[in-house]
Amino acid sequence: MEIVETQRALLHRLLPEYGLGAGRGDGPGGGPDDAAVHSGQFHHVVIGSDRVVCLPRTDAAAARLPARAAVLRVLALLDLGFRTPVPLSEGGGHGTDDVPFLVLSRIPGAPLEAGALDDPAVAGAVAAQYASLLSGLARAGADEPVRAALPRAPEGQWRQFAADVRAELFPLMTAGGRRRAERELAPLATLPHLTDAVVHGDLGAENVLWEYSDGLPRLSGVVDWDEVALGDPAEDLAAIGASYGRSFLGQVLTALGGGRPTDVLAARVGAIRGTFALQQALAGHRDGDDEELAEGLAGYR
């Protein structure tokens, strides 16, 4: 809740229902402790009744806010079969007294609860909807206006990532950590360069929201599109596998393949999934986010 305390006046303007003014009064929302706060890799997100406020954790994340808003406006025009946040206002920085901020519409729903996929009927329904989600992103990747608006994964991105990890993170690791990292980086050399699909880039469980209907979860929307690009859908599948495990990932791959998983795709998923901690550490290192850096490097020190 520290972010609520330090940005009380700004949040009072942007989320007046919580009564987050300069004093500690009892506004219609009851007070500052009623504001739900989620701290993601790049932003603090303060959640209101119908909107959310994104406050960047670092200067680098703040510099990316205008591009993030532009991408979300493009996504809002697509018929993806699920909702995405719509930018409502943005401001701060550039000589003002406010920190940079971005206000987005709130998507109803919540991430799946732990253990939800233990029910085979629920797991089957969710896997089918994940497959539909990914198919929608693949179709969007063929849309020319979308291709013109979104960044493309750069040629040789995984080779460059491996080189950057060696140059920037290896000095922070133990000898054993460097050996582990080398094992995880080696499969990246065989990954093809693909830019056919829209790739969310962080499709972990916390960014996919669900509502329940007739006892089964229904996909409500997807949030946190900071890393969206035209790239390889294996990246999103890797995030699904990291969130829910190998068995559920197999169900999604089967649904995508029309009844038979694709071995080549599964191999790409495994290679990318093995680098998630290194990706987090490198992003934290470059953004000056010591917390993210330490968490990403925890297994390498």
Side-chain angles (χ1 to χ4, degrees), residues 39-44 56-61 64 280-297:
S39 291
Q41 183 173 357
F42 301 112
H43 305 95
H44 298 292
R57 291 169 57 111
T58 64
D59 290 342
R64 294 191 294 264
Q280 178 182 357
L282 186 62
H285 179 61
R286 290 178 167 178
D287 277 8
D289 192 324
D290 292 338
E291 183 179 340
E292 288 293 315
L293 173 63
E295 185 175 320
L297 285 184

Side-chain angles (χ1 to χ4, degrees), residues 112 116-136 203 208 210 216-219 237 240-241 244-259:
L112 291 175
L117 300 183
D118 293 343
D119 183 333
V122 171
V126 171
Q129 290 175 83
Y130 263 115
S132 178
L133 183 165
L134 292 165
S135 295
L203 203 62
V208 183
W210 306 82
L216 291 175
R218 304 296 179 191
L219 179 63
L237 284 159
I240 295 170
Y244 297 116
R246 188 182 303 273
S247 176
F248 179 74
L249 174 61
Q251 289 183 260
V252 177
L253 286 168
T254 298
L256 273 174

